[in-house]
Coordinates of all heavy atoms in Angstrom, one line a residue:
D21 N -43.5 -138.2 12.8 CA -44.0 -139.4 12.2 C -44.2 -139.3 10.7 O -45.3 -139.5 10.2 CB -45.3 -139.9 12.9 CG -45.2 -140.2 14.4 OD1 -44.0 -140.8 14.6 OD2 -46.1 -140.0 15.1
L22 N -43.1 -139.0 9.9 CA -43.2 -138.8 8.6 C -43.2 -140.2 7.8 O -42.3 -141.0 8.1 CB -42.1 -137.8 8.1 CG -42.1 -136.4 8.6 CD1 -40.9 -135.7 8.1 CD2 -43.4 -135.8 8.2
D23 N -43.9 -140.4 6.9 CA -43.8 -141.6 6.0 C -42.7 -141.2 5.0 O -42.2 -140.2 4.8 CB -45.1 -142.0 5.5 CG -45.8 -141.1 4.5 OD1 -45.2 -140.1 4.1 OD2 -46.9 -141.3 4.2
L24 N -42.5 -142.2 4.2 CA -41.4 -142.1 3.1 C -41.9 -141.1 2.2 O -40.9 -140.4 1.7 CB -41.1 -143.4 2.4 CG -40.7 -144.7 3.4 CD1 -40.5 -145.8 2.6 CD2 -39.2 -144.2 3.9
E25 N -43.0 -141.0 1.7 CA -43.4 -139.9 0.7 C -43.2 -138.5 1.3 O -42.8 -137.6 0.6 CB -44.8 -140.1 0.3 CG -45.1 -139.2 -0.9 CD -46.5 -139.5 -1.6 OE1 -47.2 -140.5 -1.1 OE2 -47.0 -138.7 -2.3
D26 N -43.5 -138.3 2.6 CA -43.3 -137.0 3.3 C -41.8 -136.6 3.3 O -41.5 -135.5 3.1 CB -43.9 -137.0 4.8 CG -45.3 -137.2 4.8 OD1 -46.0 -136.7 3.7 OD2 -45.8 -137.6 5.7
V27 N -41.0 -137.7 3.5 CA -39.5 -137.4 3.6 C -39.1 -137.1 2.2 O -38.2 -136.1 2.0 CB -38.7 -138.5 4.1 CG1 -37.2 -138.2 4.0 CG2 -39.1 -138.8 5.5
A28 N -39.6 -137.7 1.2 CA -39.2 -137.4 -0.3 C -39.7 -135.9 -0.7 O -38.9 -135.3 -1.3 CB -39.8 -138.5 -1.2
T29 N -40.7 -135.5 -0.1 CA -41.3 -134.3 -0.3 C -40.3 -133.2 0.2 O -39.9 -132.3 -0.4 CB -42.7 -134.1 0.3 OG1 -43.5 -134.9 -0.4 CG2 -43.2 -132.7 0.1
L30 N -39.8 -133.4 1.5 CA -38.9 -132.6 2.1 C -37.5 -132.5 1.2 O -37.0 -131.4 1.1 CB -38.5 -133.1 3.5 CG -39.6 -133.0 4.6 CD1 -39.2 -133.5 5.9 CD2 -40.0 -131.4 4.7
V31 N -37.2 -133.5 0.7 CA -35.9 -133.6 -0.1 C -36.1 -132.6 -1.3 O -35.3 -131.8 -1.7 CB -35.5 -135.0 -0.5 CG1 -34.4 -135.0 -1.7 CG2 -35.1 -135.8 0.6
V32 N -37.3 -132.8 -2.0 CA -37.5 -132.1 -3.2 C -37.7 -130.6 -2.8 O -37.2 -129.7 -3.7 CB -38.8 -132.6 -4.0 CG1 -39.2 -131.8 -5.1 CG2 -38.4 -134.1 -4.5
R33 N -38.2 -130.2 -1.7 CA -38.4 -128.9 -1.4 C -37.1 -128.1 -1.2 O -37.0 -126.9 -1.3 CB -39.2 -128.7 -0.1 CG -40.7 -128.9 -0.3 CD -41.5 -128.6 0.9 NE -42.8 -129.1 0.9 CZ -43.8 -128.6 0.2 NH1 -43.5 -127.6 -0.5 NH2 -45.0 -129.1 0.2
R34 N -36.0 -128.9 -0.8 CA -34.7 -128.4 -0.6 C -33.9 -128.1 -1.9 O -32.8 -127.6 -1.9 CB -33.9 -129.2 0.3 CG -34.5 -129.3 1.8 CD -33.8 -130.2 2.5 NE -34.2 -130.3 3.9 CZ -33.9 -131.2 4.9 NH1 -32.9 -131.9 4.6 NH2 -34.5 -131.1 6.0
L35 N -34.4 -128.7 -3.0 CA -33.6 -128.5 -4.3 C -33.8 -127.3 -4.9 O -34.9 -126.5 -4.8 CB -34.1 -129.7 -5.2 CG -34.0 -131.2 -4.8 CD1 -34.6 -132.2 -5.7 CD2 -32.6 -131.5 -4.5
S36 N -33.0 -127.1 -5.9 CA -33.1 -125.8 -6.8 C -34.1 -126.2 -7.9 O -34.3 -127.4 -8.1 CB -31.8 -125.5 -7.3 OG -31.4 -126.4 -8.4
P37 N -34.7 -125.1 -8.4 CA -35.6 -125.5 -9.5 C -34.9 -126.4 -10.7 O -35.7 -127.2 -11.2 CB -35.9 -124.1 -10.1 CG -35.8 -123.1 -8.9 CD -34.5 -123.7 -8.2
D38 N -33.7 -126.1 -11.0 CA -33.1 -126.9 -12.0 C -33.0 -128.4 -11.6 O -33.2 -129.3 -12.4 CB -31.7 -126.5 -12.4 CG -31.8 -125.2 -13.2 OD1 -32.9 -124.8 -13.9 OD2 -30.8 -124.4 -13.2
Q39 N -32.6 -128.6 -10.4 CA -32.6 -130.0 -9.9 C -33.9 -130.7 -9.9 O -34.1 -131.8 -10.2 CB -31.9 -130.0 -8.5 CG -30.5 -129.7 -8.5 CD -30.1 -129.5 -7.0 OE1 -30.6 -128.9 -6.2 NE2 -28.8 -130.2 -6.8
M40 N -34.9 -129.9 -9.5 CA -36.3 -130.4 -9.4 C -36.8 -130.8 -10.8 O -37.3 -131.9 -11.1 CB -37.2 -129.4 -8.8 CG -38.6 -130.0 -8.5 SD -39.8 -128.8 -7.9 CE -39.0 -127.8 -6.8
L41 N -36.4 -130.0 -11.8 CA -36.8 -130.3 -13.2 C -36.1 -131.5 -13.8 O -36.7 -132.3 -14.3 CB -36.5 -129.0 -14.1 CG -36.8 -129.2 -15.5 CD1 -38.3 -129.4 -15.7 CD2 -36.3 -127.9 -16.3
D42 N -34.8 -131.6 -13.3 CA -34.1 -132.8 -13.7 C -34.7 -134.2 -13.2 O -34.9 -135.1 -13.9 CB -32.6 -132.7 -13.3 CG -31.8 -133.9 -13.7 OD1 -31.8 -134.2 -14.9 OD2 -31.2 -134.5 -12.7
L43 N -35.0 -134.1 -12.0 CA -35.6 -135.2 -11.3 C -37.0 -135.6 -11.9 O -37.3 -136.8 -12.3 CB -35.8 -135.2 -9.8 CG -34.5 -135.1 -9.0 CD1 -34.8 -134.9 -7.5 CD2 -33.5 -136.2 -9.3
A44 N -37.7 -134.6 -12.2 CA -39.1 -134.8 -12.8 C -38.9 -135.3 -14.1 O -39.7 -136.1 -14.6 CB -39.9 -133.5 -12.8
T45 N -38.0 -134.9 -14.9 CA -37.7 -135.2 -16.3 C -37.3 -136.7 -16.3 O -37.8 -137.6 -17.2 CB -36.7 -134.4 -17.0 OG1 -37.1 -133.0 -17.0 CG2 -36.4 -134.9 -18.4
R46 N -36.5 -137.1 -15.4 CA -36.0 -138.5 -15.4 C -37.1 -139.3 -15.0 O -37.3 -140.5 -15.6 CB -34.9 -138.6 -14.4 CG -33.6 -138.0 -14.9 CD -32.5 -137.8 -13.9 NE -32.2 -138.8 -12.9 CZ -31.5 -138.7 -11.9 NH1 -30.8 -137.5 -11.8 NH2 -31.2 -139.6 -11.0
N47 N -38.0 -138.9 -14.1 CA -39.2 -139.7 -13.7 C -40.1 -140.0 -14.8 O -40.6 -141.1 -15.1 CB -39.9 -139.1 -12.5 CG -41.0 -140.0 -12.0 OD1 -40.8 -141.3 -11.6 ND2 -42.2 -139.4 -12.0
L48 N -40.4 -138.9 -15.6 CA -41.4 -139.0 -16.7 C -40.8 -139.8 -17.8 O -41.5 -140.7 -18.4 CB -41.7 -137.6 -17.3 CG -42.6 -136.7 -16.3 CD1 -42.7 -135.4 -16.8 CD2 -43.9 -137.4 -16.1
A49 N -39.4 -139.9 -17.9 CA -38.8 -140.7 -19.0 C -38.9 -142.1 -18.6 O -39.1 -143.0 -19.5 CB -37.3 -140.4 -19.1
E50 N -38.7 -142.4 -17.3 CA -38.9 -143.8 -16.8 C -40.3 -144.3 -17.0 O -40.5 -145.5 -17.2 CB -38.5 -143.9 -15.3 CG -37.0 -143.8 -15.0 CD -36.7 -143.8 -13.6 OE1 -37.5 -144.3 -12.8 OE2 -35.6 -143.4 -13.2
R51 N -41.2 -143.4 -16.8 CA -42.6 -143.9 -17.0 C -43.2 -143.8 -18.3 O -44.4 -144.1 -18.6 CB -43.4 -143.0 -16.0 CG -43.2 -143.2 -14.5 CD -44.0 -142.3 -13.7 NE -45.5 -142.2 -14.0 CZ -46.2 -141.4 -13.4 NH1 -45.8 -140.6 -12.6 NH2 -47.5 -141.4 -13.8
D52 N -42.4 -143.3 -19.3 CA -42.7 -143.2 -20.7 C -43.9 -142.3 -20.9 O -44.8 -142.6 -21.6 CB -43.1 -144.7 -21.3 CG -42.1 -144.9 -22.4 OD1 -41.3 -144.2 -22.8 OD2 -42.4 -146.0 -22.9
E53 N -43.9 -141.1 -20.2 CA -44.8 -140.2 -20.2 C -44.3 -139.0 -20.7 O -43.1 -138.6 -20.6 CB -45.5 -139.9 -18.9 CG -46.2 -141.1 -18.4 CD -47.0 -140.9 -17.0 OE1 -46.9 -139.7 -16.6 OE2 -47.5 -141.8 -16.4
L54 N -45.1 -138.1 -21.5 CA -44.6 -136.8 -22.0 C -44.9 -135.7 -21.1 O -44.2 -134.7 -21.1 CB -45.2 -136.5 -23.3 CG -45.0 -137.5 -24.5 CD1 -45.8 -137.3 -25.7 CD2 -43.5 -137.5 -24.8
R55 N -45.9 -135.8 -20.2 CA -46.2 -134.7 -19.4 C -46.5 -135.1 -17.9 O -47.0 -136.4 -17.7 CB -47.5 -134.0 -19.8 CG -47.4 -133.5 -21.3 CD -48.3 -132.4 -21.4 NE -49.5 -132.4 -22.2 CZ -50.1 -131.3 -22.2 NH1 -49.9 -130.2 -21.5 NH2 -51.2 -131.2 -23.0
G56 N -46.4 -134.2 -17.0 CA -46.6 -134.5 -15.7 C -46.4 -133.4 -14.7 O -45.8 -132.4 -15.2
A57 N -47.0 -133.3 -13.6 CA -46.8 -132.3 -12.6 C -45.3 -132.3 -12.1 O -44.7 -133.4 -11.8 CB -47.7 -132.4 -11.4
L58 N -44.6 -131.2 -12.2 CA -43.2 -131.0 -12.0 C -42.9 -131.4 -10.5 O -42.1 -132.4 -10.3 CB -42.8 -129.5 -12.1 CG -41.4 -129.3 -11.6 CD1 -40.3 -129.9 -12.6 CD2 -41.1 -127.7 -11.7

Side-chain angles (χ1 to χ4, degrees):
D21 293 329
L22 299 176
D23 64 9
L24 296 178
E25 187 172 355
D26 293 334
V27 177
T29 300
L30 290 173
V31 170
V32 172
R33 288 191 190 282
R34 296 176 180 177
L35 299 177
S36 70
D38 287 340
Q39 289 174 313
M40 189 186 316
L41 179 61
D42 178 56
L43 294 182
T45 302
R46 288 166 42 190
N47 185 56
L48 293 173
E50 285 177 20
R51 292 175 51 185
D52 241 1
E53 294 183 5
L54 296 176
R55 301 202 254 176
L58 175 67

